[in-house]
């Protein structure tokens, strides 16, 4: 029933006004050549195929996107691959990408898929089907396998936000080590010497780069990051809550905790609230990202601002240049400066 | 340069192993008939076209999604139309839709577009191109124009979350009036008689239905909703903050405020915090939706739970049935019961 319905729909909606015979007559080739050319058959001489394509477009012979993309192998669709759309960090980036792509006439397919688990079914299918002209990876993990997947991708890809070494693709990132070093400077300057760190997953470049930046800057000040005050979790409220509770319950608890992102910091703030430990009187808490919620009164979080909109816009721009065939474009690696935003969760350590 | 590159790509990647001649030979028709049938030319007899389609599929003649959808007029893509992806309410629904659609082999195109402004460029283009087999509208507004747009949509559509009268489509909603009536019962039972309401936009069914439910239930108790304690805003933190500040600054301030959704309630909580008005000691605050953040310690918000995952799953199921041609399916209107979740923002009024 389904196939019949689809077929009837084909029958009743096929292009009736201009036929392949009309195109054949105008170009001066046989109708079979027109069909072959439009189908991308390699037996048609490229110059002839180009003429067929031009006349067919001129006469409006391509009735819809499917026909057009069959000829051009272009779908004007970009896949945006995120690991967890529910993480409040991503909607910011997704909206900015959606707008930037839309302005250039591309639509966005959202693929919600982790790169650190097997079976990238959605993405693999999209590639196999030729369903996207390019892909923006917002949350890659650092496995060698992921670098290979990106390098051998059948369509141009760009890494936004997170990096993976060894992938032959364009990149748009924030200066994560630099942002974390600013946090180290702030906390050290306020007088903190026992500083905790709650990391996100260790297979993400953002977690690693932020820890490296913090660690290096603190070591330079002579107060190396203590492994005892370091915890590794997820980029979630739950993870921040759990590890901050554990850190704040220690007799030698830290006087400041740097969290790998804002959502983790919200969890840490909730842990302090639950333990009736005053922020920032008894403990300072810092995040990373400056998502809109960070400025809400409930949190008033000191954090590191990433210029997400600018980053998304540039990632879209570079990808579209690749998709549209700018072969001269060199490999891009854009690193955006971050900006420390001081609100109400940081102060001097308790005396 | 771009067109040439695209063309060369066509030339080098065309299907070389099975040709339309092979298909023609097997079906016993001319090669032109095969081309026409695959193109949906109405001059081919439907039974012949069906045989061509079957053999072509069998022999793997369709090289990619574009070719296949040219024949079937199907893209296995569903458009999900939301008004503001940054609103923390939507990611929940979007993820649930993404999963449900993915399980049935459909990908999701996200269209971030308001229905109450002109120029639905993204959606119009998607329709014109035949780029989607169906659409889920998550945040329609109630204008007559929107009902007409839905009714005349070239692909099946389903309304999820918000409704618009007069649209000939399927619907999946929560019991918004019922949920709001439960809030009225809770607040009345606690002893509140001066109850404020902060509405979302008046051109949304969710705002209207929640207010109607609250208003009717309160009137039945003999404490009609006072127009002086009613404010209309957006579904944003800012709107909740602004209107709650104004309501709480009045000499005859309400002892409880019902907010049209959780994000508005978070803004109201921040307003109370900023004015140093204790919650729930001096004022009770209630939201609607029960998004994950509502349970965070920073808010611990009393709210009305909608079964978003179940709603999204059923919306996807109904839409796919329509798309796949189940013509016998009657118009669906599913209304899911809500569930009151009491946390720490509600208590008796100050004595």
């Amino acid at each position: 029933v389904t196939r019949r319905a689809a077929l009837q729909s084909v029958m009743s909606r096929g292009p009736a006004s201009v036929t392949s015979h009309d195109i054949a007559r105008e170009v001066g080739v046989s109708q079979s050549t027109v069909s072959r050319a439009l189908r991308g058959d390699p037996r048609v001489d490229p110059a002839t195929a180009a003429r067929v394509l031009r006349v067919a477009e001129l006469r409006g012979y391509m009735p819809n996107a499917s026909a057009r993309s069959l000829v051009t192998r272009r779908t004007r669709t970009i896949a945006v691959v995120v690991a967890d759309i529910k993480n409040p960090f991503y909607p910011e980036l997704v909206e900015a990408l959606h707008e930037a792509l839309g302005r250039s006439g591309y639509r966005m397919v959202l693929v919600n898929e982790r790169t650190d688990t097997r079976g990238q079914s959605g993405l693999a299918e999209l590639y196999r089907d030729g369903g996207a002209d390019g892909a923006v990876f917002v949350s890659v993990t650092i496995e060698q396998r992921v670098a290979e997947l990106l390098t051998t991708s059948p369509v141009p890809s760009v890494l936004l936000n997170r990096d993976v070494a060894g992938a032959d693709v364009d990149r748009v990132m924030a200066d994560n080590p630099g942002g974390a070093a600013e946090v180290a400077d702030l906390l050290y300057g306020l007088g903190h010497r026992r500083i905790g760190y709650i990391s996100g997953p260790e297979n993400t470049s953002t977690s690693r780069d932020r820890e490296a930046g913090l660690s290096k800057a603190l070591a330079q000040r002579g107060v190396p990051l203590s492994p005892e005050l370091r915890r590794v979790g997820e980029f979630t409220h739950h993870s921040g809550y759990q590890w901050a509770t554990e850190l704040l319950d220690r007799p030698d608890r830290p006087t400041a905790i740097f969290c790998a992102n804002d959502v983790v910091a919200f969890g840490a703030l909730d842990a302090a609230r639950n333990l009736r430990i005053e922020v920032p009187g008894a403990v300072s808490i810092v995040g990373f990202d400056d998502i809109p919620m960070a400025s809400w009164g409930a949190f008033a979080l000191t954090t590191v601002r990433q210029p997400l909109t600018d980053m998304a816009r540039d990632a879209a721009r570079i990808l579209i240049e690749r998709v549209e065939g700018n072969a001269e474009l060199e490999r891009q690696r854009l690193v955006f400066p971050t900006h420390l935003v001081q609100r109400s969760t940081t102060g001097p350590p308790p005396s």
Side-chain angles (χ1 to χ4, degrees), chain A:
Chain A
V1 173
T2 300
R3 175 160 300 171
R4 178 172 300 273
L7 199 66
Q8 280 167 348
S9 152
V10 172
M11 296 301 115
S12 60
R13 288 196 285 168
S17 45
V18 181
T19 70
S20 54
H21 283 287
D22 301 332
I23 310 297
R25 208 171 305 124
E26 185 161 346
V27 179
V29 296
S30 72
Q31 190 266 345
S32 309
T33 302
V34 169
S35 300
R36 281 184 195 152
L38 293 179
R39 216 171 46 236
D41 190 312
R43 292 170 299 179
V44 182
D45 166 67
T48 307
R51 267 160 52 221
V52 168
L53 175 55
R54 203 173 305 120
V55 171
E57 278 195 336
L58 217 62
R59 299 285 166 253
Y61 182 64
M62 313 292 145
N64 68 12
S66 297
R68 211 163 43 236
S69 63
L70 181 61
V71 173
T72 61
R73 301 274 164 161
R74 296 265 298 283
T75 60
R76 297 203 78 83
T77 299
I78 299 293
V80 173
V81 188
V82 304
D84 175 16
I85 184 68
K86 284 197 290 186
N87 178 336
F89 171 72
Y90 294 123
E92 287 294 302
L93 272 182
V94 167
E95 175 171 276
L97 283 169
H98 186 277
E99 263 179 39
L101 293 171
R103 271 195 304 273
S104 297
Y106 286 80
R107 68 179 66 114
M108 192 183 102
V109 186
L110 195 66
V111 179
N112 197 12
E113 195 161 272
R114 301 172 62 129
T115 57
D116 59 354
T117 52
R118 290 281 158 178
Q120 272 88 53
S121 55
L123 197 60
E125 197 193 287
L126 202 62
Y127 281 165
R128 196 182 58 236
D129 277 1
D133 295 341
V136 182
F137 286 83
V138 177
S139 40
V140 287
T141 46
I142 59 171
E143 294 83 8
Q144 178 60 24
R145 191 178 54 75
V146 177
E148 282 161 18
L149 181 132
L150 289 163
T151 302
T152 60
S153 160
V155 296
S157 300
V158 61
L159 291 176
L160 174 59
N161 176 46
R162 289 196 204 157
D163 199 359
V164 50
D168 181 25
V169 293
D170 301 304
R171 295 168 161 82
V172 179
M173 324 262 136
D175 179 7
N176 289 298
E182 277 192 278
V183 172
D185 287 351
L186 168 72
L187 294 176
Y188 186 90
L190 285 167
H192 294 275
R193 298 297 177 266
R194 292 190 56 72
I195 296 171
Y197 178 64
I198 302 178
S199 173
E202 286 187 295
N203 65 350
T204 64
S205 66
T206 40
S207 283
R208 294 197 166 203
D209 290 352
R210 289 168 197 172
E211 176 163 355
L214 177 76
S215 177
K216 188 177 162 197
L218 287 180
Q220 283 169 347
R221 307 291 200 149
V223 285
L225 192 60
S226 159
E228 296 196 344
L229 300 183
R230 174 184 181 269
R231 295 292 180 279
V232 177
E234 301 291 320
F235 281 129
T236 61
H237 178 275
H238 175 77
S239 182
Y241 183 85
Q242 177 186 28
W243 290 126
T245 297
E246 212 243 1
L247 284 173
L248 292 173
D249 247 357
R250 294 169 62 93
D252 61 342
R253 72 181 188 216
T255 62
I257 302 177
F258 176 38
C259 300
N261 82 1
D262 287 350
V263 178
V264 173
F266 299 155
L269 287 173
D270 274 348
R273 179 181 291 109
N274 185 50
L275 294 169
R276 300 183 194 289
I277 294 174
E278 242 184 272
V279 178
V283 63
S284 287
I285 290 175
V286 184
F288 204 107
D289 289 340
D290 197 27
I291 61 177
M293 264 184 274
S295 69
W296 291 2
F299 306 115
L301 182 70
T302 294
T303 186
V304 178
R305 183 172 186 80
Q306 302 196 56
L308 293 184
T309 307
D310 294 350
M311 288 163 61
R313 192 200 51 219
D314 276 12
R317 178 182 54 74
I318 292 168
L319 183 60
I320 290 170
E321 275 199 65
R322 293 266 174 234
V323 165
E324 299 191 345
N326 182 348
E328 286 84 50
L329 187 68
E330 284 185 20
R331 272 281 164 253
Q332 302 282 303
R333 185 190 172 86
L334 305 189
V335 178
F336 282 74
T338 59
H339 170 64
L340 188 68
V341 182
Q342 284 192 61
R343 296 199 182 96
S344 309
T345 58
T346 40
S351 46

